[in-house]
Amino acid sequence: MNPYDVKIQHMRQLAEYRRSIIDAPPLRNLFLELTLRCNERCIHCGSRCGEHDRVPELSLDQYRRILDDVKRDFGTESLELDITGGEPLLRRDFYDIMGYAHSLGFRWGMTSNATLIDDEAARKLHECGMKTISVSIDGLEQTHDRLRGMKGAFAGAMRGIHALINHGGFQAIQVTTVVNHGNFHELPELFELMCRMDIDSWRVINIEPIGRAKDNPDLMLTQGEYRQMFDFIKEKRMEGYPVTYGCSHFLGVEYERQVRKWYFLCNAGIYTASIASNGDILACLDIERRPELVQGNILSDSLKDVWENQFKIFRSDLSDRSRKCRDCDSCEFCHGGAHHSWDYDRNEQQVCFKDILF
């Protein structure tokens, strides 16, 4: 069997597996958005962080109760906590929250801009059980600082990364780069930079038309830049480097399994749920927070009940909403694509790589 047919077989098996679990999917990743406060003002931030300083945040006692309930209802063996923000480390009780999660036996990782991580913070992160971290580096120094709206952001992030590396004991230290029209040309130099650092992987993803990025359409990649980005990732992986694309978007038979470990499947509401900083229960935190997409609130609703009885909108194919998607010969594999880039007003996919990659 040739590689093309093997991929088709694998993707059909994945589609069948998705259908088999859709009525009772297992919760594997629970995202906790500890805050929407941030010390940076990224012009491509999908959550518009830093614009919500007055949004109520769940308290330490509330997080303890939530974590107790999650352990009781879902266990800790197959569930991972993914900590995000805003910048999670802006919470003064961050180590209390995550130390309690660690004491309950939860595995957890975090996304951070790393500017608040020094040797002491790295030690405390290790002590309270952090296994993985993904740090954003969105260009060389001048570009990174400009995109993040903070002078010294690049230097601070690099200090944070090196503090984590020097402390050691973490399962994986990853760097994530959001590729856009303004930093695309820096990919080769960024690759050389990553090779000089003792990180475990480099995650290269494209800018998405969400949040503040929608206010900056000039940052969107051209069709040619998309193709070059994926070819760049594919080439580095073939050379044995730990470069990977993110989980977003169906890439066509040629690129699936070539730029990441497995095939596309939007995990929102299938393997993944999230608790926003105000307690709202969501699927993926990158999805537009429309009323019909908020599934409940943890202060009044049981996550177990919501997971088992809500999320219906995420467990049906987006392609059913769009004739263009329905008529596409790839819809059995992409199901309409990722929820975070879906336009719920027009019922169409904003990011589709058909006619760009395949």
Side-chain angles (χ1 to χ4, degrees):
M1 188 178 291
N2 63 48
Y4 181 92
D5 291 333
V6 170
K7 287 185 179 183
I8 293 292
Q9 183 183 62
H10 285 170
M11 289 189 289
R12 284 186 174 143
Q13 289 172 342
L14 179 59
E16 178 57 37
Y17 175 71
R18 179 180 180 274
R19 285 190 290 270
S20 73
I21 65 167
I22 207 70
D23 291 329
L27 180 60
R28 295 180 178 175
N29 292 88
L30 177 60
F31 282 78
L32 300 181
E33 179 187 73
L34 297 190
T35 182
L36 279 173
R37 289 176 288 133
C38 192
N39 57 336
E40 298 183 339
R41 293 294 184 273
C42 305
I43 63 176
H44 57 297
C45 178
S47 300
R48 295 184 179 273
C49 294
E51 299 176 13
H52 312 278
D53 289 344
R54 297 183 181 179
V55 172
E57 296 176 357
L58 300 175
S59 68
L60 171 60
D61 286 341
Q62 287 169 330
Y63 272 115
R64 285 172 173 160
R65 178 183 62 77
I66 291 165
L67 291 167
D68 287 339
D69 291 347
V70 171
K71 179 176 181 176
R72 180 196 66 219
D73 294 335
F74 297 96
T76 61
E77 291 299 315
S78 58
L79 177 66
E80 179 176 307
L81 301 179
D82 300 292
I83 310 306
T84 186
E87 173 49 54
L89 290 171
L90 282 175
R91 284 195 63 130
R92 294 181 179 180
D93 56 1
F94 173 88
Y95 297 106
D96 295 317
I97 295 170
M98 300 320 303
Y100 188 71
H102 180 48
S103 73
L104 293 178
F106 283 105
R107 293 174 293 112
W108 67 275
M110 178 172 69
T111 58
S112 172
N113 61 39
T115 59
L116 302 178
I117 298 177
D118 55 15
D119 293 341
E120 175 68 7
R123 179 186 65 79
K124 292 168 74 173
L125 288 167
H126 185 250
E127 286 179 353
C128 66
M130 187 181 79
K131 298 299 183 186
T132 63
I133 187 169
S134 184
V135 176
S136 301
I137 296 290
D138 290 329
L140 301 176
E141 185 166 11
Q142 184 176 358
T143 301
H144 179 88
D145 287 3
R146 175 176 53 81
L147 288 168
R148 298 203 151 252
M150 175 182 167
K151 187 173 177 57
F154 180 88
M158 294 298 288
R159 281 195 302 271
I161 293 169
H162 287 296
L164 293 164
I165 292 170
N166 291 338
H167 185 279
F170 300 104
Q171 198 173 82
I173 298 172
Q174 180 185 75
V175 168
T176 293
T177 297
V178 178
V179 181
N180 58 74
H181 189 63
N183 67 8
F184 171 80
H185 64 285
E186 295 180 349
L187 275 175
E189 289 178 272
L190 283 169
F191 172 72
E192 296 298 329
L193 174 65
M194 300 304 154
C195 287
R196 296 194 296 269
M197 300 165 63
D198 189 20
I199 59 173
D200 296 284
S201 64
W202 182 30
R203 181 169 169 258
V204 178
I205 60 178
N206 53 273
I207 191 170
E208 301 281 356
I210 58 177
R212 280 200 289 263
K214 274 196 167 184
D215 302 335
N216 296 278
D218 56 310
L219 290 177
M220 297 300 155
L221 294 171
T222 66
Q223 291 190 8
E225 287 170 342
Y226 273 126
R227 286 192 295 270
Q228 290 179 63
M229 182 192 75
F230 285 115
D231 284 338
F232 173 88
I233 299 170
K234 181 178 176 180
E235 174 188 314
K236 298 308 178 187
R237 288 177 66 85
M238 290 179 68
E239 293 172 356
Y241 293 101
V243 183
T244 185
Y245 182 60
C247 61
S248 302
H249 309 306
F250 177 69
L251 307 177
V253 179
E254 178 185 350
Y255 285 94
E256 288 290 329
R257 284 294 315 267
Q258 298 299 307
V259 296
R260 58 188 169 208
K261 288 183 179 179
W262 198 237
Y263 300 95
F264 168 73
L265 175 65
C266 183
N267 292 333
I270 296 179
Y271 296 141
T272 297
S274 304
I275 300 175
S277 61
N278 67 351
D280 281 347
I281 300 172
L282 310 167
C284 167
L285 288 166
D286 285 335
I287 298 172
E288 184 181 0
R289 299 184 189 185
R290 303 164 65 98
E292 69 269 28
L293 301 181
V294 177
Q295 303 299 293
N297 189 284
I298 200 67
L299 298 179
S300 57
D301 300 303
S302 159
L303 179 63
K304 183 175 187 292
D305 288 344
V306 171
W307 181 255
E308 292 177 351
N309 299 303
Q310 302 295 323
F311 289 99
K312 305 301 183 188
I313 193 170
F314 301 105
R315 294 171 185 170
S316 59
D317 286 1
L318 285 169
S319 55
D320 292 340
R321 297 165 168 253
S322 164
R323 172 176 241 173
K324 181 179 179 181
C325 288
R326 273 198 313 273
D327 293 343
C328 175
D329 56 9
S330 295
C331 76
E332 67 171 313
F333 305 135
C334 85
H335 311 286
H339 279 272
H340 74 269
S341 56
W342 186 262
D343 187 326
Y344 284 90
D345 290 319
R346 298 184 177 183
N347 273 323
E348 62 184 25
Q349 184 56 249
Q350 298 180 89
V351 180
C352 176
F353 288 112
K354 186 175 183 181
D355 299 328
I356 298 177
L357 298 180
F358 63 98

